[in-house]
């Protein structure tokens, strides 16, 4: 009988310890949220789009100033790819999220790996175009004759000077010889 009572006390102590551990884990996880925000502010992580742009875009309060966006692409000489934007022109309000698509075809009979590099015209506009998703973020591998479409998601920063009323976003695709296709 005494062994059963001793076991019962031991079980209750273990249960109390486990409850304390669970509570501490919850408090720790809850405390990480403000800590994460501070770390992001200090290091610049997660600073793709400023919070005020996100808030205004979500509420539909984008700037009244429209920008004419032109999309283009070229391919390095000798690279057997065809790269084209599916939409070549678009009116964009700064602060709004925009998605366009590019189509890439490997027109050769062999596997090819390439990397896209963006450029902006005027060059000063580059700091105001914040890409959230882009095929240019990694190398792309294509099988012979393969065609794929890639979204490019971006927002034009509301701090874009009013003097910039048109932006060209163009990509140049380069061959990555000898690569096995990271991001294929």
């Amino acid at each position: 009988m005494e062994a059963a009572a001793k076991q019962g006390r031991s079980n209750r102590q273990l249960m109390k310890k486990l409850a304390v551990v669970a509570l501490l884990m919850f408090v720790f996880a809850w405390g990480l949220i403000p800590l994460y925000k501070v770390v992001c502010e200090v290091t610049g992580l997660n600073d793709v789009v400023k919070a005020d742009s996100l808030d205004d875009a979500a509420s539909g309060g984008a700037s009244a100033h429209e920008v004419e966006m032109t999309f283009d692409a070229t391919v390095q000489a000798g690279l057997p790819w065809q790269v084209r934007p599916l939409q070549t022109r678009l009116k964009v309000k700064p602060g709004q999220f925009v998605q366009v698509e590019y189509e890439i075809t490997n027109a050769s009979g062999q596997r090819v790996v390439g990397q896209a590099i963006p450029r902006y015209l005027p060059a000063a506009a580059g700091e105001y175009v914040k890409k959230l998703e882009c095929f240019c973020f990694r190398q792309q591998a294509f099988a012979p004759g393969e065609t794929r479409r890639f979204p490019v998601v971006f927002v034009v920063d509301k701090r874009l000077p009013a003097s910039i009323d048109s932006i060209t976003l163009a990509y140049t695709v380069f061959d990555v010889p000898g690569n096995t296709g990271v991001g294929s």
Side-chain angles (χ1 to χ4, degrees):
M1 200 58 131
E2 208 164 302
K6 189 174 183 180
Q7 183 67 36
R9 280 192 304 271
S10 178
N11 286 346
R12 282 190 292 279
Q13 286 179 337
L14 179 61
M15 190 62 151
K16 288 178 185 178
K17 289 178 184 178
L18 289 174
V20 168
V21 167
L23 180 64
L24 289 174
M25 288 175 26
F26 178 77
V27 169
F28 178 73
W30 192 263
L32 283 179
I33 296 169
L35 181 63
Y36 175 76
K37 289 179 182 178
V38 169
V39 168
C40 287
E41 286 177 18
V42 169
T43 63
L45 293 172
N46 243 1
D47 195 24
V48 176
V49 181
K50 296 290 184 204
D52 59 340
S53 294
L54 284 172
D55 293 342
D56 289 343
S59 66
S63 169
H65 164 225
E66 280 194 334
V67 178
E68 176 82 23
M69 294 287 299
T70 304
F71 306 98
D72 194 16
T74 57
V75 177
Q76 171 192 15
L79 183 62
W81 282 17
Q82 297 165 352
V83 182
R84 69 180 184 95
L86 297 183
Q87 187 168 11
T88 57
R89 293 193 181 280
L90 183 65
K91 292 273 189 186
V92 173
K93 289 186 178 185
Q96 282 184 319
F97 288 97
V98 179
Q99 178 174 325
V100 295
E101 283 189 326
Y102 277 75
E103 184 176 84
I104 302 176
T105 300
N106 175 5
S108 78
Q110 59 189 3
R111 187 172 184 280
V112 179
V113 178
Q115 174 77 49
I117 307 295
R119 69 181 186 281
Y120 305 93
L121 298 172
E127 71 181 86
Y128 299 101
V129 178
K130 309 296 184 189
K131 287 192 296 291
L132 305 171
E133 183 177 342
C134 182
F135 62 97
C136 65
F137 291 162
R138 69 178 129 249
Q139 297 171 358
Q140 303 293 335
F142 278 76
E146 181 180 9
T147 297
R148 292 196 320 237
R149 289 185 177 178
F150 294 94
V152 176
V153 179
F154 66 92
V155 64
V156 175
D157 195 314
K158 288 176 33 173
R159 294 176 294 175
L160 178 75
S163 61
I164 300 177
D165 59 354
S166 68
I167 300 172
T168 298
L169 172 57
Y171 292 94
T172 302
V173 181
F174 294 93
D175 186 20
V176 182
N179 196 303
T180 59
V182 178
S184 55

